[in-house]
Amino acid sequence: MQLCEVADASAEVGATAARLGKLARLAAVLAAASDEELPIIVAWLSGDLPQRQIGVGWAALRALPPAASSPALTVTEVDAALSAIGATSGAGSQARRASLLAALLGAATAGEQAFLRALLSGELRQGAQRGVMLDAVARAVAVPLAQVRRAAMLAGSLPAVAGAARTGGVEALRAMRLTVGRPVSPMLAQTAASLAEGMAKVGTPARLDAKIDGVRLQVHRNGDEVRLFTRTLDEVTARLPEVLAAVRALPVTQLVADAEAIALRPDGRPEPFQVTSSRLGRRTSPAARELTTFFFDVLHVDGRDLLDEPASVRLSELARVVPQAQRVRHVVTSELGEGQAFVDSVLAAGHEGVMIKSLDAAYEAGRRGAGWLKLKPVHTLDLVVLAAEWGSGRRRGWLSNIHLGARNPQTGEFVMLGKTFKGMTDEMLAWQTQRFTELAAGGTSEWVVPVRPEQVVEIAFDGVQASSRYPGGVTLRFARVIRYRDDKPASEADTLAAVREMYDQQHG
């Protein structure tokens, strides 16, 4: 199959609003793929690379070579080229990687270049979400959706499941089991607006866990062999020896469990998230802080699968094999007052919120199950838009990513805190494209449009963290747009001092 067929299908899916229309188009292109091509195309249309990371960032994709006049690239040729780029290392690897990337993009047509740019930059958002892709795979290979969903949950890889279903049918999917050492897609949480709402949804008594702002890990132990995977199923075993030691000390032979690893201060309060996340970098400073491991769920213990057991059974097993000091702090309650006191104490200890969990829910791997709800305090700021960037993929032709600034009352200027493209509806994108075109100031480049600092935007975010990248020394975590405020002048926007005060409060 040629790359242009996949790129065309992706564009058509992005232009189709109805779920059934997306599903039909996806299933058609998957059905036409060969056995070798099918897993690759499933990964691509899900917005992923089979190679996961190949060392190509957005900066390398800003300037594209002249496009080819006619399509010639095949799916397998492109996959091999991406593997070659990812395998490039050592002295001079950056230049060799850039040369290989230029050769690949130069052989692509304009439509293929647009597809590859979106795929490689992580911005392929054409609406082929996991639920739609599961259904499309089931239809394309003519197997029951329930079997595909179950196999994908256990295998942790929809492309692998698609390949197995194509060559082995239902029997191959039924043969897939939780295997110690092979990561499983983690269960995710929905959001609760309040503690009362969350407890009402999951039922009482409910379990409330401290929501630790660390690195989520899936721990696999088989004898003395321990493997660690992140929530994106990337293996980080070699980078966290202290976590390996903690797992090996447990009185089990086989284990698959969920845990959080976090850097703590001497007084037990959490370090800023960057301190924890820096331990996962490929180059870690010898002085980097050790991480403490806290377990919060278990999927398998000594030959017994627990995925389908209610949470009460799984948590009982967790308590049996993991000492209390190594389990996430929690309370089981039916009383709203007791629950709120727990929430207040967790926030006072410096953690980011709580998880509200049903004691009856099974482990819904790979899904945002109703059995887990997350509750975090919502912070908002009124900031000023300093610039906007032209979007790509589905957002091509719209001004999308906005630069956010806080006010410095001493100088009257605005200090950049970061960027966001989250929370924007299509109507909002259309509005802001017109608005920021009108506010455009000098210095416009191919991608960035500086604007006069006049438009106030209300931003929600999860916290403030230190940053050497931005001139204010701080930036916002998970910033997203709530609304544009035409009722508020830029002179009344929040100040940099207010943002820094939030940082000081959060980090003691």
Side-chain angles (χ1 to χ4, degrees):
M1 179 178 290
Q2 289 193 308
L3 174 64
C4 64
E5 298 176 70
V6 182
D8 290 346
S10 177
E12 291 172 22
V13 170
T16 303
R19 185 183 189 278
L20 289 178
K22 292 178 183 290
L23 173 59
R25 187 66 183 91
L26 288 169
V29 72
L30 297 182
S34 70
D35 292 353
E36 181 183 6
E37 294 164 342
L38 180 60
I40 300 169
I41 297 172
V42 169
W44 287 355
L45 292 177
S46 299
D48 299 321
L49 290 177
Q51 299 84 358
R52 302 195 69 81
Q53 301 291 333
I54 63 170
V56 173
W58 179 248
L61 300 167
R62 287 187 179 275
L64 298 179
S69 58
S70 59
L73 292 169
T74 67
V75 168
T76 52
E77 287 172 343
V78 173
D79 181 62
L82 296 177
S83 293
I85 292 170
T88 302
S89 61
S93 59
Q94 184 173 356
R96 292 198 303 274
R97 192 179 296 118
S99 176
L100 290 171
L101 179 63
L104 173 62
L105 294 174
T109 64
E112 292 169 337
Q113 284 186 348
F115 174 77
L116 290 172
R117 172 188 268 168
L119 177 63
L120 294 174
S121 65
E123 295 189 357
L124 189 68
R125 302 184 185 91
Q126 82 284 64
Q129 298 172 341
R130 182 174 176 83
V132 178
M133 285 301 298
L134 284 167
D135 211 338
V137 167
R139 181 178 296 191
V141 298
V143 295
L145 174 59
Q147 294 288 347
V148 172
R149 181 178 290 120
R150 175 73 177 176
M153 175 184 77
L154 295 175
S157 168
L158 183 54
V161 167
R166 168 67 69 80
T167 57
V170 171
E171 291 306 313
L173 299 185
R174 286 176 178 164
M176 290 185 171
R177 297 285 186 270
L178 187 153
T179 301
V180 179
R182 184 175 67 191
V184 175
S185 297
M187 183 171 175
L188 304 174
Q190 299 181 24
T191 300
S194 67
L195 180 62
E197 176 193 272
M199 292 178 67
K201 282 186 175 181
V202 304
T204 54
R207 174 180 166 118
L208 307 184
D209 282 2
K211 191 175 189 308
I212 296 176
D213 193 17
V215 174
R216 182 173 177 177
L217 296 174
Q218 189 175 114
V219 172
H220 288 247
R221 176 179 172 183
N222 191 3
D224 288 334
E225 182 184 2
V226 177
R227 300 180 70 185
L228 307 176
F229 302 91
T230 66
R231 62 177 291 163
T232 55
L233 309 186
D234 292 309
E235 185 167 2
V236 292
T237 303
R239 305 179 198 176
L240 300 173
E242 68 271 38
V243 178
L244 300 184
V247 176
R248 289 193 178 108
L250 298 177
V252 295
T253 301
Q254 289 186 321
L255 180 73
V256 179
D258 264 331
E260 288 276 345
I262 186 170
L264 298 176
R265 296 177 179 178
D267 63 0
R269 291 180 66 86
E271 291 278 13
F273 179 72
Q274 306 101 298
V275 178
T276 295
S277 63
S278 67
R279 283 299 311 281
L280 297 185
R282 296 190 180 276
R283 296 179 180 176
T284 301
S285 165
R289 184 69 56 87
E290 282 201 356
L291 303 186
T292 302
T293 309
F294 295 98
F295 295 85
F296 62 88
D297 211 327
V298 62
L299 288 67
H300 179 97
V301 176
D302 289 337
R304 181 186 177 192
D305 285 348
L306 299 169
L307 282 165
D308 296 324
E309 297 288 349
S312 57
V313 172
R314 301 198 310 275
L315 298 171
S316 177
E317 277 295 289
L318 185 70
R320 184 179 68 83
V321 300
V322 178
Q324 182 176 351
Q326 291 177 262
R327 284 181 269 135
V328 167
R329 182 183 166 203
H330 73 277
V331 67
V332 176
T333 183
S334 298
E335 301 297 326
L336 186 60
E338 183 181 10
Q340 188 59 56
F342 178 76
V343 173
D344 293 342
S345 68
V346 167
L347 295 176
H351 298 298
E352 64 173 356
V354 297
M355 299 291 296
I356 309 168
K357 298 182 177 180
S358 166
L359 292 177
D360 299 323
Y363 192 94
E364 299 181 74
R367 304 186 67 189
R368 290 195 182 276
W372 284 9
L373 303 174
K374 56 186 175 182
L375 176 65
K376 296 191 290 185
V378 178
H379 308 285
T380 64
L381 287 168
D382 289 334
L383 302 174
V384 173
V385 178
L386 305 180
E389 298 177 7
W390 289 106
S392 60
R394 197 180 70 80
R395 294 191 177 190
R396 181 172 295 279
W398 282 337
L399 285 172
S400 175
N401 208 0
I402 57 174
H403 299 198
L404 305 170
R407 183 167 55 90
N408 184 338
Q410 281 72 41
T411 65
E413 298 177 346
F414 294 90
V415 181
M416 187 174 176
L417 298 177
K419 310 176 186 180
T420 187
F421 57 81
K422 299 182 183 297
M424 300 172 182
T425 64
D426 287 354
E427 292 77 13
M428 190 178 291
L429 287 166
W431 179 88
Q432 69 187 36
T433 299
Q434 179 178 349
R435 172 65 170 158
F436 298 144
T437 300
E438 295 169 352
L439 291 178
T444 298
S445 69
E446 181 183 0
W447 294 104
V448 181
V449 178
V451 300
R452 300 193 303 274
E454 298 177 12
Q455 180 63 54
V456 176
V457 60
E458 186 176 356
I459 297 293
F461 58 98
D462 289 358
V464 183
Q465 64 187 36
S467 173
S468 59
R469 181 177 182 181
Y470 297 109
V474 289
T475 190
L476 308 180
R477 289 197 67 206
F478 302 116
R480 62 261 186 204
V481 174
I482 297 178
R483 58 175 174 150
Y484 282 103
R485 299 201 56 173
D486 294 328
D487 60 328
K488 192 168 190 177
S491 59
E492 296 179 9
D494 285 304
T495 65
L496 179 61
V499 181
R500 287 176 171 164
E501 183 177 355
M502 286 184 174
Y503 176 86
D504 291 339
Q505 291 173 348
Q506 290 171 19
H507 302 292

